[in-house]
Amino acid sequence: MQRRLTTQLANQSGLEVISFQHCDCLVFSRGETLKMFAPHSKRVLGGTAQDRIVTGDLLVIFDADLEPLRSPSKRFKFANFATYAPIANFPSTAESSMIIEGVVDEHFFRQIHDLLAALPVSKSEWNAKFGPDFFTRTMIDRCVETVKYLRKGD
């Protein structure tokens, strides 16, 4: 279901999809970092089974940390990632995240793009913004710092 939703959103938005072992992601930016969104849907509280919204995680991985799975698979794995942030931390995205007749509001994609664009693009920029010890912190601590940083601009 997650992979199907990602393909549906990619077809609507024209974004590239990258497949990992456990999920597919929409790629918003490529470079030293890959800035991606791993979508999934959930049922709207009080709605019917067909009433769904898109939620998911912002995910930033350094390109050097991508490893292709064994051939013939076209999927990748990663041992580490720079950071992630559930979009549930940004309530403004909820308004445009409703899936209506298989389509999500274009504003939703712009909001995800803007959040990811606000994040650094290189390891040196990450260190400058978040401190030289950022990548030695736990994943949860990095997530918390990322959310705090993005909320300042939200």
Side-chain angles (χ1 to χ4, degrees):
M1 184 163 191
Q2 190 275 336
R3 293 186 194 281
R4 191 169 12 131
L5 173 64
T6 305
T7 300
Q8 175 185 339
L9 294 174
N11 289 339
Q12 180 185 341
S13 65
L15 292 166
E16 172 190 4
V17 173
I18 187 167
S19 292
F20 294 103
Q21 286 174 301
H22 305 291
C23 68
D24 285 355
C25 293
L26 296 170
V27 179
F28 280 79
S29 173
R30 271 190 181 267
E32 185 178 330
T33 58
L34 277 90
K35 295 180 179 182
M36 301 173 288
F37 176 60
H40 61 271
S41 68
K42 72 179 195 178
R43 190 172 168 182
V44 175
L45 188 63
T48 68
Q50 291 75 31
D51 294 334
R52 303 193 71 78
I53 61 169
V54 176
T55 188
D57 299 306
L58 305 175
L59 184 62
V60 180
I61 300 173
F62 289 106
D63 187 58
D65 290 334
L66 282 181
E67 296 177 43
L69 294 177
R70 282 188 283 171
S71 194
S73 178
K74 293 182 185 202
R75 293 190 177 148
F76 292 87
K77 65 179 179 176
F78 54 92
N80 196 11
F81 50 93
T83 194
Y84 75 99
I87 65 165
N89 287 291
F90 311 100
S92 62
T93 62
E95 194 175 315
S96 60
S97 68
M98 186 79 149
I99 302 171
I100 301 171
E101 295 180 14
V103 176
V104 176
D105 190 320
E106 290 296 321
H107 184 63
F108 178 77
F109 295 104
R110 283 191 301 278
Q111 289 175 299
I112 299 300
H113 173 270
D114 292 347
L115 287 167
L116 287 167
L119 295 172
V121 297
S122 68
K123 199 168 237 178
S124 61
E125 286 183 29
W126 280 95
N127 288 329
K129 276 200 192 315
F130 293 99
D133 67 331
F134 184 73
F135 296 110
T136 62
R137 298 178 200 166
T138 67
M139 252 315 141
I140 297 293
D141 288 343
R142 285 187 263 173
C143 172
V144 169
E145 287 300 314
T146 302
V147 169
K148 279 185 199 175
Y149 175 78
L150 290 173
R151 280 187 172 174
K152 287 179 186 173
D154 191 27

Short mmCIF file of all heavy atoms in Angstrom, two decimals, residues 1-11 17-18 23-26 37-40:
data_model
loop_
_atom_site.label_atom_id
_atom_site.label_comp_id
_atom_site.label_asym_id
_atom_site.label_seq_id
_atom_site.Cartn_x
_atom_site.Cartn_y
_atom_site.Cartn_z
N MET A 1 0.82 -1.19 0.00
CA MET A 1 0.00 0.00 0.00
C MET A 1 0.87 1.27 0.00
O MET A 1 0.56 2.23 -0.69
CB MET A 1 -0.92 -0.03 1.22
CG MET A 1 -1.87 1.11 1.26
SD MET A 1 -3.18 0.69 2.41
CE MET A 1 -4.31 1.97 2.06
N GLN A 2 1.97 1.27 0.77
CA GLN A 2 2.85 2.44 0.83
C GLN A 2 3.50 2.69 -0.52
O GLN A 2 3.56 3.81 -0.99
CB GLN A 2 3.92 2.25 1.92
CG GLN A 2 4.74 3.49 2.23
CD GLN A 2 5.94 3.74 1.31
OE1 GLN A 2 6.49 2.83 0.70
NE2 GLN A 2 6.33 4.99 1.21
N ARG A 3 3.97 1.64 -1.16
CA ARG A 3 4.62 1.79 -2.46
C ARG A 3 3.62 2.29 -3.51
O ARG A 3 3.95 3.12 -4.35
CB ARG A 3 5.27 0.48 -2.89
CG ARG A 3 6.44 0.09 -1.99
CD ARG A 3 7.17 -1.14 -2.52
NE ARG A 3 8.06 -1.72 -1.55
CZ ARG A 3 9.28 -1.26 -1.25
NH1 ARG A 3 9.74 -0.20 -1.86
NH2 ARG A 3 10.03 -1.85 -0.35
N ARG A 4 2.40 1.80 -3.44
CA ARG A 4 1.37 2.23 -4.39
C ARG A 4 1.05 3.71 -4.19
O ARG A 4 0.92 4.47 -5.16
CB ARG A 4 0.11 1.39 -4.21
CG ARG A 4 -0.90 1.58 -5.29
CD ARG A 4 -2.01 0.55 -5.26
NE ARG A 4 -2.03 -0.25 -4.05
CZ ARG A 4 -3.09 -0.48 -3.30
NH1 ARG A 4 -4.26 0.03 -3.63
NH2 ARG A 4 -3.04 -1.22 -2.21
N LEU A 5 0.94 4.16 -2.94
CA LEU A 5 0.68 5.57 -2.64
C LEU A 5 1.83 6.43 -3.16
O LEU A 5 1.60 7.48 -3.77
CB LEU A 5 0.50 5.79 -1.14
CG LEU A 5 0.39 7.26 -0.70
CD1 LEU A 5 -0.86 7.91 -1.28
CD2 LEU A 5 0.42 7.35 0.82
N THR A 6 3.06 6.00 -2.95
CA THR A 6 4.22 6.77 -3.42
C THR A 6 4.20 6.91 -4.93
O THR A 6 4.44 8.00 -5.46
CB THR A 6 5.54 6.12 -2.95
OG1 THR A 6 5.50 5.96 -1.53
CG2 THR A 6 6.74 6.97 -3.31
N THR A 7 3.89 5.85 -5.63
CA THR A 7 3.79 5.90 -7.09
C THR A 7 2.68 6.84 -7.52
O THR A 7 2.85 7.64 -8.45
CB THR A 7 3.55 4.48 -7.67
OG1 THR A 7 4.65 3.65 -7.29
CG2 THR A 7 3.40 4.50 -9.17
N GLN A 8 1.54 6.77 -6.85
CA GLN A 8 0.41 7.65 -7.17
C GLN A 8 0.82 9.12 -6.97
O GLN A 8 0.54 9.97 -7.84
CB GLN A 8 -0.75 7.29 -6.24
CG GLN A 8 -1.96 8.17 -6.34
CD GLN A 8 -3.00 7.78 -5.27
OE1 GLN A 8 -3.00 6.68 -4.74
NE2 GLN A 8 -3.87 8.72 -4.97
N LEU A 9 1.50 9.43 -5.87
CA LEU A 9 1.92 10.81 -5.61
C LEU A 9 3.00 11.25 -6.60
O LEU A 9 3.02 12.41 -7.03
CB LEU A 9 2.43 10.95 -4.18
CG LEU A 9 1.38 10.75 -3.08
CD1 LEU A 9 2.04 10.76 -1.70
CD2 LEU A 9 0.28 11.78 -3.18
N ALA A 10 3.88 10.34 -6.99
CA ALA A 10 4.91 10.66 -7.99
C ALA A 10 4.28 10.97 -9.34
O ALA A 10 4.69 11.91 -10.03
CB ALA A 10 5.90 9.51 -8.11
N ASN A 11 3.28 10.19 -9.73
CA ASN A 11 2.60 10.44 -11.00
C ASN A 11 1.91 11.81 -10.99
O ASN A 11 1.92 12.52 -11.98
CB ASN A 11 1.57 9.34 -11.29
CG ASN A 11 2.22 8.03 -11.66
OD1 ASN A 11 3.38 7.99 -12.09
ND2 ASN A 11 1.50 6.94 -11.46
N VAL A 17 10.97 8.67 -7.80
CA VAL A 17 10.79 7.74 -6.69
C VAL A 17 12.08 6.94 -6.53
O VAL A 17 12.66 6.49 -7.52
CB VAL A 17 9.62 6.76 -6.95
CG1 VAL A 17 9.55 5.69 -5.88
CG2 VAL A 17 8.31 7.52 -7.03
N ILE A 18 12.52 6.75 -5.30
CA ILE A 18 13.63 5.87 -5.01
C ILE A 18 13.10 4.79 -4.07
O ILE A 18 12.35 5.08 -3.14
CB ILE A 18 14.85 6.63 -4.43
CG1 ILE A 18 16.05 5.70 -4.31
CG2 ILE A 18 14.53 7.26 -3.11
CD1 ILE A 18 17.37 6.41 -4.04
N CYS A 23 10.54 0.78 2.13
CA CYS A 23 9.59 1.80 1.69
C CYS A 23 10.09 2.46 0.41
O CYS A 23 11.24 2.27 0.01
CB CYS A 23 9.42 2.88 2.77
SG CYS A 23 10.87 3.91 3.05
N ASP A 24 9.22 3.20 -0.22
CA ASP A 24 9.58 4.04 -1.36
C ASP A 24 9.49 5.49 -0.91
O ASP A 24 8.69 5.83 -0.03
CB ASP A 24 8.61 3.83 -2.53
CG ASP A 24 8.85 2.53 -3.27
OD1 ASP A 24 9.83 1.82 -2.95
OD2 ASP A 24 8.06 2.22 -4.17
N CYS A 25 10.31 6.34 -1.51
CA CYS A 25 10.33 7.76 -1.15
C CYS A 25 10.22 8.62 -2.40
O CYS A 25 10.74 8.27 -3.45
CB CYS A 25 11.63 8.12 -0.43
SG CYS A 25 11.82 7.36 1.17
N LEU A 26 9.60 9.79 -2.24
CA LEU A 26 9.60 10.81 -3.28
C LEU A 26 10.86 11.64 -3.09
O LEU A 26 11.14 12.10 -1.98
CB LEU A 26 8.37 11.72 -3.13
CG LEU A 26 7.02 11.06 -3.33
CD1 LEU A 26 5.91 12.02 -2.92
CD2 LEU A 26 6.85 10.62 -4.76
N PHE A 37 10.72 12.36 0.90
CA PHE A 37 9.51 12.23 1.69
C PHE A 37 9.03 10.79 1.56
O PHE A 37 8.83 10.31 0.44
CB PHE A 37 8.43 13.21 1.22
CG PHE A 37 7.12 13.06 1.93
CD1 PHE A 37 7.03 13.24 3.30
CD2 PHE A 37 5.97 12.76 1.22
CE1 PHE A 37 5.82 13.12 3.95
CE2 PHE A 37 4.75 12.64 1.86
CZ PHE A 37 4.67 12.82 3.23
N ALA A 38 8.88 10.11 2.69
CA ALA A 38 8.35 8.74 2.72
C ALA A 38 6.88 8.81 3.14
O ALA A 38 6.58 8.92 4.33
CB ALA A 38 9.15 7.89 3.70
N PRO A 39 5.97 8.80 2.16
CA PRO A 39 4.55 8.97 2.50
C PRO A 39 3.88 7.68 2.93
O PRO A 39 4.30 6.58 2.57
CB PRO A 39 3.95 9.45 1.17
CG PRO A 39 4.78 8.77 0.14
CD PRO A 39 6.18 8.71 0.73
N HIS A 40 2.87 7.83 3.71
CA HIS A 40 1.90 6.77 3.94
C HIS A 40 0.56 7.44 4.20
O HIS A 40 0.50 8.65 4.43
CB HIS A 40 2.33 5.80 5.05
CG HIS A 40 2.51 6.39 6.40
ND1 HIS A 40 3.69 6.92 6.84
CD2 HIS A 40 1.63 6.56 7.42
CE1 HIS A 40 3.54 7.37 8.07
NE2 HIS A 40 2.32 7.18 8.44
#
